[in-house]
Each structure stands twice: as C-alpha cells, then as structure tokens.
Amino acid sequence: KSQDSLEIISKFVYFKPSLVTAQGKRSSPGFTRASAAHALVTPFLDRLRDPDVSSSTMKKVKECLNRVAVGFSSNSSAKYDEVLPFVFATVAPFVHGKMVKSSGDEDADLENSDDEVEAPIQVSKSNRSNLAGGDSASNTKKEAFKAVAVVTWTPSNLGAAENQKSALDMKRKQKKALHRVTDGVAAPKLTGSSRHSPLRSARAKSLNNPANACAVIFGLNLLNSSLKRLKLDVSDEQLCAMADPYLPLLTHCVRFSSDNQAVILSLRCLGVLLRADLPSVPESARDLGPSILDHLAASGAASNTQSDIVQGCFKTLTLLISHQKFSSPANQNAIMPSFGDDAKTHISETLPLTADQMQALLSLLHSAVREYDHHNSTFGLVKAILSKRYMSSELYDLMDIILKLSVQSQKSTIRLQSSQIFLQYLMEYPMGKQRMDNHLHQIVLNIKYEYEEGRLSAIDLISSVIQKFPLPVLEGHSQFFFLPLVLQLVNDDSKKCKEAVADCISLLLQRLSTESVQALFGYAKRWSQSSGSDSLPMQRASAQLFGIFVDSRPDYVKRGSNASDLVSIVLDVMTKHIPFESESGWELLYHNLVCTEKLNKQMPSLLSANYEIWGALVKLLAYPHPWIMQVSSRIISGYLSSIDPEKMLRDGSESFIVQIPGCLYKIASNLCRQLDVEDIHFVESTSTLAIKTITWVFRAMKQHPGICYDDDLAKSNNENSGEEENSSGKAKDPCLWVMTRLSNIAKPRGNHRRESVFKCFAALSTSCDPEHLTPYLELMIDPVDRAIREASNKMNPDDQTENDPRIAIPKDVLQILEDTCGTEQFLQAFAKVNHKVREKRDKRKQEIASEAVHDPAAAAKRKIKTQHGKKERRKRKVDDKRAMHGSSKRRHS
C-alpha cells in the first residue's frame, strides 16, 4: 500500500523542481527548501549512496523509485522544461560516479587513486573504536591509514618504500608494467572481455555498481516515459539545447553499462532524441556506433533478432546513419569510391561507422534479414545504408539475399519490403551491364517459382522495374521481359498470377514506343497463324496478347490494317468452332471472344456492321461451356443495352437484329437454353445476363413481331409446338412462345432454375406495360403456384413458411404480378390456373382407379410402393421424436 501511495502522490503533486533554486534564496539560514519532486526522490537516492546498503533494501528502493517514475510519467504538470533538467541532475552523478563528498576530505585524489587499498587490520575491536573516534560512523580512509596495524605487509626489505604514498606509486607502476609485452610470446597475457581497455573497466565499475544502476534506471525510465508522452518539438531551440547534454550521457550508458534494462532504456531515449538536429550528434556517434556493434555481437544479432537490445540497436543505427548531420547534398550526389583511403575518408564523412565496422555490420545483417519476427527494424537499417549509396562486396551479397527473400519468404510483409529494397538498389546504385543483366535475369526467373505467393511477388517486382526503368534502358530489354511473361501467361495455373502477368505486359506495352510495340505485335500475329500439333498453345497465347494490345495500346491497334486483321483472325476462330459437338478447344475460342469484347468496347463502329461476327455470337450463346456462354451473353447484352427496343427500326436499322432475319428468336431460344440447366451447372452471372437480355428481347418482340422469325423458323415453330394457341393461328406471336418456354422451364423441380425464371417474370413486370403482360398471366402464375404447393407439401407443420426462400420468392413474384396487372385480372387468371389444376388432379385419380381393372399388375406395384412410403414415413417420425428427447439410437430397417 505504501508503494501505491507513492505512485498516487507522484501523480498528483506539483512537478516543479526549479522551485528549489528560486525559493532557496529566500529561505532562512540553516533551513533547506526543496520541491515536491526532490522531497520524494532524495531520500531514496541518499539511501542508495550509503555504502553499507543491503541488497534487500536496494530491491525495495528500486521498486519505490519505479513507482515514483510511473507517477511522474502520468503527472499532468510534468513538462519538458522541468523533466529534462531534473532527470539529468539526478542521473548524471550516478552515471559518471561523482558522488557527493565531504568538504573536509583533503586527500580525495589519494583515495580515488587505487580502489583496492584496504585499511590495515586493527589490534582489537576496542582499539578500532578508539582509533575511529568513539561511535562515529564517518571515518575516512586517511584516518584508517594512520591507525597502528598488527601486521604490515612488506615483501622484502630491498626496495622498500619510505612512506605510504611512495608505496602506492610503486604499486601503480607495477600494475602498468603488467600491460606491457616484454618478451613476445613468453610475455604474460591479459584475459577477459575488458583486457583491451583498462580505463573502460574503471568507468564501467562505477556505473554498474548495483546502487548506481538502480538510480540510473529510475532516471531513464522517467525520461523514456516523458519522451513518449510529450512530443518533442524539434523546432524549439530551447528544448533542443536542454536535450543535447543527454546524448553524451546516454552514449556513456550504452558504452559502459552491463545492465540490459539500462541499455534498452538508453537506446529507446536515443531513438527519440536522434530525430532532432542536436549539435553533439557527430561527437557522440563516434563512440555510440562501435558500442552498438559490440552489443549486437554480444547478443547474437545474427540469429536472434527478437531481443529488445538487438531491435533497439538496429533502430538507433538506422537513425544515426540517416541523420542529417551525416548527409549533405554534395555527399548524396557524389559517387562513392569503392576502395582505398578515399573510400574510408568518404565513409567517415557520410557514415558514423568506419569501413571495417560497416563490413561487420553487413555481415550481421546477412543472417538477421532471414529472421521472420521483428523484421521492420532490420529492413529499416538496410534502407538507411542504401540511402547513403554505400558500396562493398558484402552489400552486393546482401542484395542477393534480399532478392531471394522477395520470393521465398513466407511472410507477405517481408516479401514486399524486400522487393522495395531491391528496387531501390537497382535504381540508385551504379553497376555494370553484366551485373545489371544478372539481376534482371534472376528477377525474370523468379516468376517460375513453385508457390503462388512467390510468383506474385516476383511479377510485382517486374512491374515496378518496368515502371521505374528509364525508357532507353527499357527499350533495350523489352523482348527480355516480354517473352518470359508471355510463356508464364500461357502456362501458369493460378488465376491471380495470370491476371498479374497480363497487367505487367499491359504496363510494358504502355511504356514502349510504337516501333517496339510493332515488333511485339508481329510476334503475336505470327503465333496466331502457326499450324501443326503444337500450335494450339501459341494460338492461345496470341489470342490473349491481342486482348492486351487492344486494352493497353488502342492507338496502335487503330493504325493501318491492324484492327481489320484482328477481326479476321477472331472471325476465323469463331467459324471453326461453330459446329460445337464437344468442348475441345474452348480456351482458344474464349480468349478470342474476350478480344472481341474489348474491340467492341474500344472501337464499336468496327464491329457494328460486321454481321458475320454477330451471327456467330448469337449461335455461341448455346455453346456447352459456361465461360463461352457468359462472354457471348456479355457482348450481346452490352450491345443491346445501347438500343431502345421501341425505336429499333428507326435508330437501329443497321443493327444485326434487323438485318439478320430471325435473330431475335435465336437469341431468345438460346438464352432460354441457358436458364434450362441443372442446379449443378448453374452460374449466377450467366443467369443474370440472360434475364436482362430476355427482358429486352421481349419488349422488342412486342413492338416489332414481324422481324422475329424468318420463314424456316416460323415453319419449324408451327411443327414443333404442341400448344393449342399455336395451332389456332397465334403461332406468329413470339411473346407467347417466349412465355410458354419460360413456363415450361420452371415446371420441373430445380431451385436455381425456378428462381431464375421467377426473377425473369419479375423483371418483365417492372419493365413492360401491364397490357403487354396480361394475356400471359396464366402462363406465369402456373409455375409459380406449382412451386408454392410443392414446397408447402414438403414442409412440416411447425416450420415457418415466411423464411423459406422456396416459398417467399414465389409469393413475392405473385405480389409483383398482381400490382402490375391489377387485382381483377390477376384473380381471374389465378382462378383459371386453379381450375386446370383441379381438373388434372381429378383426371389423374380416375386413371388410377381404372388402372386396377385394366392393368392389375401395375396397380399392385403402385399399392406396394405407397405402403412402403407410408412405412418409411412412420419410421422417420419415430426417429425425429427420439432425437427431440435426446436419444441417438435409430431403428434398423
């Protein structure tokens, strides 16, 4: 509870440490005035300064300071101008080991000269108490040296020191002599991690003292949380001046601290401060860069990028390398020398690391980039190095690894960042033709990678290269990109990859000049005219390319005879596939139809007068493959939507609908065939297009019945139709034939088929005049009413019919028909339909009754079948009741 109280008090006190200096001048003599922040922190810091503090006490003090830091971080009165001086004044004495000393200590230099000097052993406890001056606890080492010792260590009388100061000098000289190699291999060697820098161990010893580390972590925690909560305004010169002294302080912590938490907090604080243009950045970077490399090597950055220290080191190095103190317009535009002293000089000017240190860093990155977790900081560091245009053999090897990762990595973010990094390297770095060709060759080979995600990444990289490359360079490599992409377009099994390759080829054609496009178009024409057993893949590739050419370069297709050549090639393929006994070769026909659709969109006047193509498209509406049906329907529906059926003879007299006799009948017949399919072959998009086109055809037939049939079709219609209306002189009514055909399609069972016909009835009701639909109400009501009766008979009494689509959709259609044609007309037609249903039911009962006399065997079989059905129905009821009561056993038949 006391620790919670500390946190609460720290959160709500008035954080104004500068008050101690302003009020100290007005305080009474002998009294000390302190702010609330000092009053909270100072007792704990004084406890840490005690040399006899125990480890358990130190843990308690550390927890209390952490709570105080959390409270100060949430304090609304804590501002930058107060936090920065307070933290610096608190942490700096502990970081540099400059504790508060008594003014009466005259020989402080002597005490600090050798940390290993110990007071001599005293005679007894009482003697030590007398020499210490009673019960006083503030004895200095100087007083201890004046005490009489029981034993004085004297190795030899020869060379003995005259006094204690000369003995200390002799010991210091002996220690220095140990660091000097006197006899080559036979000389004694120092061991340990700090053998190369004795001064470093002295500084680290002070900083890594547990008490000092506890105080330092408190200050760094407060600084880090304040930098997170308060946004540092880099344009404020006063704040930057207050933040600048922190760079040497934090650099010192990174260099000499062995506490991981202190190092991590220092790196996080540096990550905020290095974003500002502070004056001491270049000076601190000389010590900070090598220290970070030491931490990376010690923490295993090559194989463990998940460590917080590794992540912090990478982020700090990224900020250091990309800092504006190490970049200038002159340095950025200059091409860096690769070898020799000039390269080292250039590195020292543009990078905070030496050439050897950069080499070591790149060696670490070779393994670090392969790690899947926490990769953002790693790739950010690579981008920062690339922005400096640093050149070395290790960097080129790293780029090869990056290129492999852009395809082989399992994470999409790594593939994306790898592609961006390699593209930046490819665009900005100077390289010879051989190296450039090798890189491009590897990029093109990557589109044949085994897995779809890798191929997509490689295709996206090629698209970026095509978009970013200078036009002269792209012109020289146009065929180098074009031919492999075409092969992948034909051979790839993935739909996404095919679409991406098509977009990539389209982008390439858009950037190339007309001369280059002409050469590539010549390849496609030659492939379309190939013959032989292996010609089908080449023809299929040319058909896909023709569609891409029309989409990406319509200006080139319109030039000369290119468009007419395309039309003749497409028409020839359609003509060969018109007698469609089977679906063989449908892919070639499909791609040619797609090309026709794009031609009609880009150049509608080119195809409007070509009646052979339109006649072939009408016939292809009945092709067995659903893709062919869909694209044919899409082309015809798009063309018909631009013509008003009521003004067709006036505005569309040149249309193929008018010029080709019986074309409307053929379209309606083939579209009804598209609706009359089993549920397993049903395609929603094809059905929607068929409904839309049938609605337009019905309106056109009603306005212009004379152009619907030719003589042969009218004759076949009269011969094949079994309806009484047709035999009584109404065979020339094409709308009656369409309604009869739709009604017959909806009568057999099939949810999707019936739903499509019902939607067609609803579309006709909303788009046609009521007087046009009233004569056909019976034909529309009959299948709808049949579907409702059949669905109701199959449902249980407890089921809700309102939510069942088998009943809800037909009822909605009946309501639409009633609203369109009027209630009176609807009820009359509905009564006639019910009367016919009753007549058919009675007739069927009479036939069953007479069957017992005329055919007793058939009647017996019917009776046995009926009894078996009743038996099975009783079993199902029993099983349903058992399931309702929780029983899982079923009756055995």
Side-chain angles (χ1 to χ4, degrees), residues 422-635:
F422 192 81
L423 181 63
Q424 180 184 356
Y425 157 75
L426 204 62
M427 294 294 105
E428 297 180 359
Y429 266 64
M431 62 184 70
K433 185 178 183 302
Q434 183 64 36
R435 184 181 293 274
M436 174 68 74
D437 292 342
N438 291 339
H439 286 322
L440 295 180
H441 180 69
Q442 186 60 44
I443 291 174
V444 171
L445 286 179
N446 285 342
I447 65 176
K448 299 180 181 180
Y449 188 63
E450 179 180 3
Y451 299 105
E452 177 185 355
E453 293 82 3
R455 296 199 301 274
L456 286 173
S457 179
I459 295 168
D460 292 340
L461 179 57
I462 293 180
S463 300
S464 302
V465 169
I466 291 174
Q467 192 172 6
K468 298 289 186 180
F469 256 29
L471 188 57
V473 180
L474 184 62
E475 292 278 353
H477 294 83
S478 59
Q479 297 185 11
F480 181 81
F481 288 121
F482 180 75
L483 297 178
L485 288 173
V486 172
L487 289 176
Q488 197 66 24
L489 179 66
V490 178
N491 299 324
D492 206 315
D493 298 330
S494 172
K495 180 182 177 181
K496 293 181 179 180
C497 291
K498 285 190 174 184
E499 293 176 353
V501 170
D503 294 339
C504 187
I505 296 176
S506 177
L507 180 61
L508 176 64
L509 295 177
Q510 290 175 8
R511 289 212 64 199
L512 292 178
S513 62
T514 305
E515 291 76 11
S516 300
V517 173
Q518 184 175 0
L520 302 181
F521 188 77
Y523 289 146
K525 288 181 66 176
R526 287 197 294 272
W527 294 338
S528 66
Q529 299 169 0
S530 59
S531 59
S533 58
D534 299 335
S535 61
L536 186 59
M538 300 180 68
Q539 293 177 4
R540 194 165 63 244
S542 66
Q544 297 180 59
L545 286 176
F546 287 149
I548 297 174
F549 273 103
V550 173
D551 260 348
S552 59
R553 293 300 296 269
D555 56 332
Y556 173 76
V557 176
K558 294 177 182 178
R559 295 181 58 182
S561 61
N562 294 330
S564 59
D565 293 343
L566 278 181
V567 172
S568 61
I569 293 172
V570 169
L571 181 59
D572 183 54
V573 174
M574 289 184 184
T575 307
K576 291 180 180 178
H577 287 80
I578 286 301
F580 34 86
E581 289 84 4
S582 63
E583 299 182 13
S584 60
W586 69 269
E587 293 183 352
L588 177 61
L589 178 59
Y590 172 76
H591 293 305
N592 279 275
L593 289 176
V594 171
C595 180
T596 305
E597 182 181 12
K598 294 178 179 179
L599 279 172
N600 187 42
K601 182 179 179 181
Q602 296 289 344
M603 293 165 279
S605 60
L606 180 67
L607 296 180
S608 59
N610 195 324
Y611 304 131
E612 295 182 6
I613 284 187
W614 291 110
L617 288 172
V618 172
K619 295 178 182 179
L620 290 174
L621 289 173
Y623 195 86
H625 199 278
W627 288 18
I628 305 298
M629 288 193 296
Q630 184 176 357
V631 68
S632 304
S633 299
R634 198 163 59 237
I635 296 172

Side-chain angles (χ1 to χ4, degrees), residues 158-413:
L158 296 177
E162 297 179 357
N163 51 34
Q164 195 165 6
K165 186 173 181 179
S166 61
L168 292 175
D169 292 338
M170 291 175 60
K171 190 173 182 179
R172 188 183 299 111
K173 291 178 181 180
Q174 292 174 2
K175 185 182 291 187
K176 288 182 178 180
L178 292 176
H179 297 281
R180 186 180 301 111
V181 178
T182 57
D183 195 14
V185 180
K189 298 179 176 59
L190 294 175
T191 59
S193 60
S194 60
R195 62 185 181 274
H196 299 296
S197 54
L199 294 178
R200 175 187 174 95
S201 33
R203 296 178 183 177
K205 185 176 181 181
S206 172
L207 178 60
N208 296 322
N209 183 19
N212 293 358
C214 180
V216 170
I217 290 175
F218 158 71
L220 293 179
N221 265 323
L222 180 56
L223 178 63
N224 180 44
S225 58
S226 300
L227 291 175
K228 278 184 177 180
R229 185 173 61 90
L230 305 172
K231 301 298 181 181
L232 181 63
D233 187 7
V234 296
S235 61
D236 192 341
E237 296 182 357
Q238 183 179 1
L239 283 181
C240 291
M242 297 171 66
D244 187 63
Y246 276 97
L247 287 181
L249 181 72
L250 297 173
T251 301
H252 187 89
C253 292
V254 173
R255 290 182 64 192
F256 301 113
S257 178
S258 60
D259 190 289
N260 288 340
Q261 187 178 2
V263 174
I264 292 172
L265 291 173
S266 301
L267 292 173
R268 289 176 180 175
C269 296
L270 286 170
V272 178
L273 298 177
L274 287 176
R275 300 179 189 275
D277 187 14
L278 301 180
S280 60
V281 170
E283 183 179 356
S284 300
R286 286 195 293 269
D287 297 329
L288 184 60
S291 302
I292 291 178
L293 285 180
D294 293 341
H295 282 293
L296 288 174
S299 57
S303 58
N304 181 24
T305 58
Q306 302 180 18
S307 171
D308 291 337
I309 292 183
V310 175
Q311 292 295 307
C313 290
F314 281 158
K315 292 177 182 179
T316 307
L317 274 179
T318 302
L319 293 172
L320 272 181
I321 293 175
S322 59
H323 199 275
Q324 53 187 339
K325 291 289 186 182
F326 298 100
S327 62
S328 61
N331 290 335
Q332 289 179 355
N333 297 327
I335 297 178
M336 181 179 150
S338 302
F339 306 100
D341 296 336
D342 294 338
K344 295 181 180 180
T345 304
H346 191 92
I347 292 174
S348 63
E349 293 176 355
T350 59
L351 292 172
L353 300 176
T354 62
D356 295 336
Q357 292 169 352
M358 287 297 299
Q359 183 178 358
L361 176 61
L362 290 172
S363 299
L364 289 174
L365 290 175
H366 283 183
S367 301
V369 293
R370 293 188 174 94
E371 295 292 327
Y372 290 147
D373 298 327
H374 305 284
H375 57 274
N376 290 330
S377 58
T378 308
F379 285 104
L381 179 57
V382 176
K383 290 179 182 178
I385 296 174
L386 284 180
S387 64
K388 298 297 181 179
R389 297 189 182 182
Y390 173 75
M391 290 190 298
S392 70
S393 58
E394 290 80 9
L395 180 67
Y396 289 115
D397 295 339
L398 178 62
M399 290 300 105
D400 292 336
I401 298 174
I402 293 290
L403 181 58
K404 292 180 181 179
L405 287 176
S406 67
V407 178
Q408 298 177 1
S409 178
Q410 298 180 3
K411 297 188 69 173
S412 58
T413 52

Side-chain angles (χ1 to χ4, degrees), residues 128-176:
R128 182 166 64 252
S129 301
N130 295 331
L131 291 174
D135 295 332
S136 175
S138 59
N139 296 326
T140 62
K141 291 184 180 180
K142 182 178 179 182
E143 293 172 343
F145 282 125
K146 293 180 181 179
V148 178
V150 175
V151 179
T152 303
W153 179 65
T154 54
S156 173
N157 292 329
L158 296 177
E162 297 179 357
N163 51 34
Q164 195 165 6
K165 186 173 181 179
S166 61
L168 292 175
D169 292 338
M170 291 175 60
K171 190 173 182 179
R172 188 183 299 111
K173 291 178 181 180
Q174 292 174 2
K175 185 182 291 187
K176 288 182 178 180

Side-chain angles (χ1 to χ4, degrees), residues 835-852:
H835 180 69
K836 291 181 180 179
V837 169
R838 286 194 299 269
E839 287 182 350
K840 289 183 179 179
R841 187 185 302 117
D842 295 340
K843 184 179 179 180
R844 186 166 55 252
K845 288 181 179 180
Q846 293 176 1
E847 292 176 352
I848 294 173
S850 62
E851 188 179 33

